[in-house]
Amino acid sequence: MSDLIFYTNPMSRGRIVRWMLEEVGEPYDTRLVDWTAKPDDFLAANPMAKVPTIIHRGQVVTEAGAIITYLAETFPAAGLAPNAEECASFYRWMFFAAGPLEAATTDRALGVTPTAEQQGMVGYGTLDRVVDALKGAVTASTYIAGERFTAADVYVGSHIAWGLQFGAFPASDEFDRYLARIMDRPAAIRAREIDDALISGNGS
């Protein structure tokens, strides 16, 4: 039994953490969570009943961005945590994806558009401003935190890919070029294959 337990569903944000786990390369046990019959051990770990959730040596970590950051810092040999020069951009864009980007795309999916008066109340202002900020982030350097792939690319890149796939924001050359640099990594391909097999019923 691994020291690292991963609760997920292949049709969830757990796909982001799966990619990170494959990048880290440490052994982990996957425990699939059905939407309607959630196991007691999972509910005890995360009363919010949300995936992804991990337990590492008895410590529970929830929220995809927090899990990815935790894994990067806990397993430094993988080289996915930021160095001193990368820290500012790393944390800036990790929290941007978890906050303004997530909120803006969720509101768009729900058909919610803040009025001009409400834009000051929401953390993202408008979706257009979020998209413009992201375009700047993916063109300022080769990767999100600088000239080296880090865990921030797993998280922010996944959000961008999902936003494009589900039409949350329009396609752009900037996003296409950035995703071309990260989505064909062996760990990313391996993670997609694992989760796609689980969806099709060919995984275990």
Side-chain angles (χ1 to χ4, degrees), residues 81-93 145:
N83 59 36
E85 292 75 22
E86 296 163 341
C87 274
S89 292
F90 181 95
Y91 289 108
R92 175 187 179 185
W93 295 111

Side-chain angles (χ1 to χ4, degrees), residues 93 132-145 156 178 181:
W93 295 111
D132 287 345
L134 275 178
K135 287 180 181 179
V138 301
T139 55
S141 54
T142 304
Y143 297 102
I144 286 295
V156 179
Y178 170 65
R181 294 195 288 272

Side-chain angles (χ1 to χ4, degrees), residues 5-204:
I5 299 170
F6 172 44
Y7 291 95
T8 188
N9 184 292
M11 298 179 68
S12 76
R13 291 172 179 81
R15 294 178 73 99
I16 308 175
V17 172
R18 172 85 70 185
W19 177 7
M20 182 62 182
L21 287 165
E22 292 298 316
E23 291 280 358
V24 167
E26 293 290 328
Y28 63 93
D29 293 333
T30 300
R31 298 190 184 175
L32 296 179
V33 177
D34 184 86
W35 299 128
T36 58
K38 297 177 180 178
D40 290 342
D41 58 337
F42 167 65
L43 294 174
N46 186 358
M48 288 286 290
K50 302 285 287 184
V51 293
T53 294
I54 67 166
I55 302 178
H56 180 233
R57 296 181 177 176
Q59 300 296 311
V60 177
V61 188
T62 66
E63 316 314 316
I67 294 170
I68 286 170
T69 304
Y70 174 84
L71 291 172
E73 294 178 350
T74 302
F75 300 104
L80 298 169
N83 59 36
E85 292 75 22
E86 296 163 341
C87 274
S89 292
F90 181 95
Y91 289 108
R92 175 187 179 185
W93 295 111
M94 284 290 293
F95 280 83
F96 182 88
L101 178 54
E102 175 91 14
T105 53
T106 298
D107 279 355
R108 169 61 63 89
L110 294 174
V112 175
T113 302
T115 65
E117 292 77 15
Q118 293 170 332
Q119 288 171 15
M121 299 172 60
V122 294
Y124 61 87
T126 68
L127 181 58
D128 287 343
R129 289 165 63 183
V130 170
V131 172
D132 287 345
L134 275 178
K135 287 180 181 179
V138 301
T139 55
S141 54
T142 304
Y143 297 102
I144 286 295
E147 299 306 313
R148 187 178 66 91
F149 181 91
T150 67
D153 294 290
V154 175
Y155 191 57
V156 179
S158 293
H159 275 280
I160 292 173
W162 282 15
L164 294 173
Q165 179 181 351
F166 295 107
F169 42 79
S172 73
D173 291 341
E174 294 94 337
F175 292 147
D176 288 346
R177 287 192 293 268
Y178 170 65
L179 292 177
R181 294 195 288 272
I182 66 171
M183 299 306 284
D184 286 339
R185 292 175 62 84
I189 294 171
R190 201 161 54 242
R192 290 196 297 270
E193 289 175 345
I194 293 170
D195 280 324
D196 288 348
L198 289 169
I199 291 171
S200 66
N202 296 322
S204 58

